[in-house]
Amino acid sequence: MTRLSKRFPNVKQHALSTSKVSSQPARPCSPSSLKTAGDLERRGAAEGEMSQWIDKSSSKWSVYLIASTRVPRTYVGVTTNFFRRLKQHNGELKGGAKASSAGRPWSLACIIRGFKDRSEACKFETKWKSLSRKTCRKKNKDCPSRNLLLQHREAALIQAKSSFDCDYLHIEWRMKP
């Protein structure tokens, strides 16, 4: 018995000799024969979904705020295709976030477009969410609870904008906070 490594001393050498090994020499692999995730997406697109295929490297990332039309709840997320993502949140397509299933149906409250990449959009989303949790909520009997939630998210957004260079971002509110 030969020790193969210090970490795994109990591995027996005869297990290697009894395993089936191909007698044919390995073929060299050319870069054109390799399949990547992008190739698989293109192949799926060639099967009838060419119009919906999006090149991941040149996509535009957005951070969005959706509000429930049924209960006083909001949700912040990141996507490259908001309309597909909203259908997922509303249960029309597979893939919606589990946290958003209780507030269906959802509608767009705010969308922030123009992030350079996914990393920047995710950092902004995380900052917006954390500031939303940290800031206290105002209570007002005269104002509907959904408006209070939107005002709370707007205040957190203003704080998040001060942490980032937002000159190139386009912020569009669809619901009045």
Side-chain angles (χ1 to χ4, degrees):
M1 181 164 86
T2 307
R3 181 186 278 191
L4 296 177
S5 72
K6 291 179 182 178
R7 176 164 251 168
F8 302 103
N10 294 334
V11 177
K12 297 180 181 177
Q13 184 178 4
H14 76 275
L16 293 174
S17 63
T18 60
S19 65
K20 295 182 181 179
V21 178
S22 174
S23 60
Q24 296 178 351
R27 288 182 277 158
C29 189
S30 66
S32 62
S33 67
L34 293 175
K35 299 289 182 194
T36 62
D39 292 333
L40 295 174
E41 288 176 0
R42 285 183 197 94
R43 187 181 62 178
E47 296 172 1
E49 298 177 11
M50 187 59 117
S51 63
Q52 294 188 6
W53 180 69
I54 298 171
D55 183 14
K56 301 285 184 201
S57 62
S58 66
S59 61
K60 299 288 184 185
W61 287 91
S62 301
V63 176
Y64 61 90
L65 170 67
I66 54 177
S68 171
T69 57
R70 191 174 52 84
V71 293
R73 185 174 285 182
T74 59
Y75 180 90
V76 175
V78 175
T79 189
T80 55
N81 185 342
F82 174 74
F83 297 106
R84 173 192 49 82
R85 190 72 178 121
L86 183 61
K87 287 181 180 181
Q88 288 175 332
H89 284 299
N90 286 328
E92 298 170 24
L93 295 175
K94 283 188 175 183
K98 186 176 180 180
S100 67
S101 61
R104 291 177 184 159
W106 296 93
S107 59
L108 177 62
C110 178
I111 189 161
I112 305 165
R113 295 189 178 122
F115 291 96
K116 294 174 185 171
D117 55 10
R118 179 181 180 178
S119 175
E120 184 184 35
C122 288
K123 285 177 186 175
F124 191 88
E125 175 208 21
T126 303
K127 186 72 170 180
W128 192 6
K129 285 180 175 181
S130 69
L131 289 170
S132 293
R133 281 186 225 107
K134 289 178 184 178
T135 57
C136 61
R137 296 183 185 182
K138 298 175 184 175
K139 294 189 177 184
N140 187 352
K141 293 179 182 179
D142 299 333
C143 189
S145 57
R146 183 168 44 156
N147 288 353
L148 287 175
L149 284 172
L150 293 177
Q151 288 172 4
H152 177 75
R153 290 286 191 173
E154 183 185 33
L157 175 61
I158 291 168
Q159 289 179 341
K161 283 177 16 182
S162 66
S163 307
F164 287 84
D165 177 24
C166 298
D167 295 337
Y168 56 91
L169 296 178
H170 177 71
I171 301 172
E172 180 183 344
W173 283 91
R174 295 277 179 102
M175 291 183 182
K176 291 184 179 183

